[in-house]
Amino acid sequence: EYWQSHAVRYREGNEVKTWDNTVWAERVEVGLTRNLGIELEHALPAPWRLCPQRCDGRARRPVRLLISLSPMDYDRGTQTLSAWAQWTLIGAEGQALHTSNQALQSKGSGTQAAAQTDAMAGMMKAVADLVARDVAQVPASATEHLDAKHGQ
């Protein structure tokens, strides 16, 4: 819950503290989602591609992605962002095509607040790489069925 604040917060032992004179320019989840999208565009194997809204004006997306990072804490002392990541690929009919989860850590690059954002960017890259790996394992029959059924 402490991420839902304009203040940039981190964990020090059992305490949540705030970086001095530092605020988020936008909601954390918005920035993380945008960064994840950029990383996914680079990581997805062909012929997969990221379409935040719709691909080529088609009415439906064949696969959706749901990601949860919880809890996600930045420890200032170790300069490490830790999270339990879970992601699910969902077909057009709402069926889970693949679900995975993994504990992740990303290292910051210094002792200032910017190190926390570096760690967050590193984590989004790690999540994108893991999702891309799993997308490649989605059975072709699952997407061919979706393509034939929905003309995509």
Side-chain angles (χ1 to χ4, degrees):
E1 292 177 354
Y2 73 81
W3 289 96
Q4 297 175 346
S5 168
H6 240 37
V8 182
R9 296 180 176 163
Y10 60 92
R11 188 168 295 281
E12 193 168 84
N14 290 330
E15 292 183 63
V16 174
K17 296 187 174 182
T18 302
W19 293 100
D20 292 333
N21 304 313
T22 306
V23 295
W24 294 112
E26 62 186 347
R27 292 189 346 238
V28 173
E29 66 273 18
V30 172
L32 286 175
T33 300
R34 186 175 2 83
N35 187 269
L36 178 62
I38 291 167
E39 294 296 344
L40 276 171
E41 285 180 30
H42 298 308
L44 287 173
W48 292 91
R49 61 194 167 118
L50 180 66
C51 299
Q53 300 299 318
R54 295 181 182 189
C55 290
D56 298 329
R58 294 183 177 126
R60 299 185 72 149
R61 289 175 264 171
V63 177
R64 290 182 296 138
L65 172 64
L66 300 176
I67 297 176
S68 173
L69 297 169
S70 181
M72 185 170 69
D73 281 319
Y74 184 76
D75 184 296
R76 183 179 182 180
T78 62
Q79 300 172 30
T80 303
L81 180 68
S82 301
W84 182 258
Q86 179 174 338
W87 56 98
T88 303
L89 299 167
I90 299 181
E93 300 300 319
Q95 74 279 23
L97 301 174
H98 186 85
T99 297
S100 291
N101 58 67
Q102 184 171 328
L104 296 176
Q105 285 193 332
S106 180
K107 203 74 164 135
S109 59
T111 58
Q112 302 301 315
Q116 183 172 341
T117 59
D118 291 344
M120 293 166 75
M123 185 165 287
M124 291 307 96
K125 177 161 182 14
V127 170
D129 290 345
L130 290 167
V131 168
R133 176 201 66 192
D134 287 354
V135 162
Q137 295 176 23
V138 170
S141 59
T143 56
E144 287 170 5
H145 170 73
L146 292 170
D147 288 348
K149 188 171 182 177
H150 299 293
Q152 298 181 356

